[in-house]
Amino acid sequence: MKKGIYILLVSILLVSCSDFQKALKSEDNAEKFKLGTELFEAGKYSKAHRLFTQILPIYKGKPQAEKLTYMHAMASYQMEDYYIASYHFERFVSAYPVSEKVEEAAFLAAKGYYFNSPRYSKEQKETVEAIEKLQLFLNLYPNSQYVAEANTLVKELDFKLEKKAFEIAKQYNIISDYKASIKSYNNFLLDFPGTSLRNEAMYYRFDSAYNLAVLSIDALKEERINTALAYYETLKTTYPDSEYLEEASKMKDMLQLELNTITTKS
């Protein structure tokens, strides 16, 4: 019984492949449209996409063009070819602004950019572009069913930018370029005031200022110690329960001791 079912399934598959190959080589565009639609609805997106690509220019301006353009873009999306999918979804939105599919197409076009965003350690041009596309969607469709998901994606992309900026500042600290680290952390705190990394950023800004002060020549020491102590007070006031405060307090005491020594000498 099982062997018979297996043979039947293989036979259907072979016939299906044969029909696809015939349609692919055929000049019958209607047949390509029909078979492509059947393949699309069956979830065979790669085959459907190949047929749609052949006939898309031919159906331009015809009644079937709206459905074909949508399916072609969706097939690309399901194949995870997000650059192509976003491009074709955007063309769909532009060509069919009153379509019942326009809102979905606009969202998936923007979401395609989200998928093309690289990990935070790499160049973030695509991330910025994805945020802009998703924000544009939110502005155009403020009551969309996709608003919650779009906001979640924007938040995730925003955090990627925050993480990138934070790690750059931290790297300066690690390589002992304390001036650059302080400047980068100051910029980070200004650019991302609501960041979840604010506590850690304030600590490492103080740590960089501490090291800069300790390693400074005498002529610059007093000013830099005072700057570092100010950063400590900001950390303590903003995060009185910070997990970094115990270590920061020890560093503060050492700075205060050195400042007292300088003041006594003068």
Side-chain angles (χ1 to χ4, degrees):
M1 181 68 178
K2 288 182 178 179
K3 185 177 180 181
I5 293 172
Y6 174 75
I7 292 171
L8 178 62
L9 290 173
V10 170
S11 299
I12 292 170
L13 181 62
L14 289 173
V15 170
S16 174
C17 289
S18 175
D19 289 344
F20 171 70
Q21 290 299 329
K22 285 179 183 176
L24 207 58
K25 297 173 184 177
S26 170
E27 294 183 5
D28 187 343
N29 296 318
E31 179 58 28
K32 290 182 180 184
F33 185 95
K34 179 176 177 293
L35 182 59
T37 302
E38 290 173 0
L39 290 167
F40 178 85
E41 291 173 350
K44 299 183 184 301
Y45 300 111
S46 179
K47 288 183 177 180
H49 186 270
R50 289 181 68 185
L51 290 172
F52 293 155
T53 299
Q54 286 187 344
I55 61 175
L56 194 63
I58 296 162
Y59 276 90
K60 187 176 181 181
K62 296 182 179 180
Q64 304 95 323
E66 179 181 336
K67 181 179 180 181
L68 179 59
T69 304
Y70 172 82
M71 290 191 297
H72 182 254
M74 182 60 83
S76 297
Y77 185 86
Q78 294 294 343
M79 291 161 61
E80 300 183 5
D81 190 350
Y82 297 116
Y83 280 110
I84 297 297
S86 291
Y87 171 75
H88 284 288
F89 275 130
E90 286 176 338
R91 289 189 66 186
F92 179 89
V93 170
S94 177
Y96 308 104
V98 296
S99 169
E100 64 177 18
K101 296 286 191 181
V102 71
E103 184 180 311
E104 179 192 15
F107 173 66
L108 292 179
K111 191 174 180 180
Y113 286 92
Y114 160 84
F115 283 119
N116 289 323
S117 168
R119 58 175 300 173
Y120 78 86
S121 59
K122 297 186 178 295
E123 171 60 42
Q124 293 300 301
K125 178 184 175 183
E126 288 89 350
T127 302
V128 173
E129 188 174 22
I131 292 171
E132 290 172 351
K133 295 290 185 179
L134 284 162
Q135 195 58 59
L136 178 61
F137 170 80
L138 288 166
N139 293 341
L140 291 173
Y141 300 96
N143 300 313
S144 170
Q145 62 178 309
Y146 303 109
V147 163
E149 185 178 357
N151 279 322
T152 298
L153 297 178
V154 169
K155 185 179 286 189
E156 184 180 330
L157 293 168
D158 275 336
F159 182 74
K160 199 178 286 189
L161 296 181
E162 292 175 21
K163 185 71 172 173
K164 173 78 172 181
F166 177 86
E167 290 299 330
I168 288 172
K170 191 173 182 180
Q171 187 60 33
Y172 282 130
N173 176 281
I174 290 169
I175 65 173
S176 304
D177 189 347
Y178 299 119
K179 280 186 180 181
S181 181
I182 293 166
K183 183 178 180 180
S184 295
Y185 276 124
N186 280 332
N187 289 337
F188 173 81
L189 292 166
L190 283 171
D191 292 341
F192 306 102
T195 178
S196 59
L197 299 170
R198 189 173 179 80
N199 176 18
E200 193 174 357
M202 284 187 172
Y203 168 72
Y204 280 108
R205 178 178 66 173
F206 168 62
D207 180 77
S208 293
Y210 166 84
N211 283 293
L212 182 64
V214 168
L215 297 172
S216 292
I217 60 173
D218 290 344
L220 299 174
K221 219 163 216 184
E222 183 175 356
E223 180 186 353
R224 288 178 174 175
I225 288 174
N226 283 323
T227 299
L229 289 172
Y231 287 148
Y232 168 80
E233 290 300 327
T234 302
L235 171 65
K236 182 181 177 182
T237 303
T238 310
Y239 296 101
D241 299 318
S242 171
E243 65 269 34
Y244 301 108
L245 210 55
E246 183 178 353
E247 181 63 26
S249 295
K250 293 176 184 176
M251 293 157 65
K252 183 265 296 184
D253 289 343
M254 292 176 67
L255 288 173
Q256 193 63 63
L257 187 64
E258 190 152 357
L259 182 61
N260 291 341
T261 303
I262 292 170
T263 308
T264 303
K265 283 181 181 178
S266 357

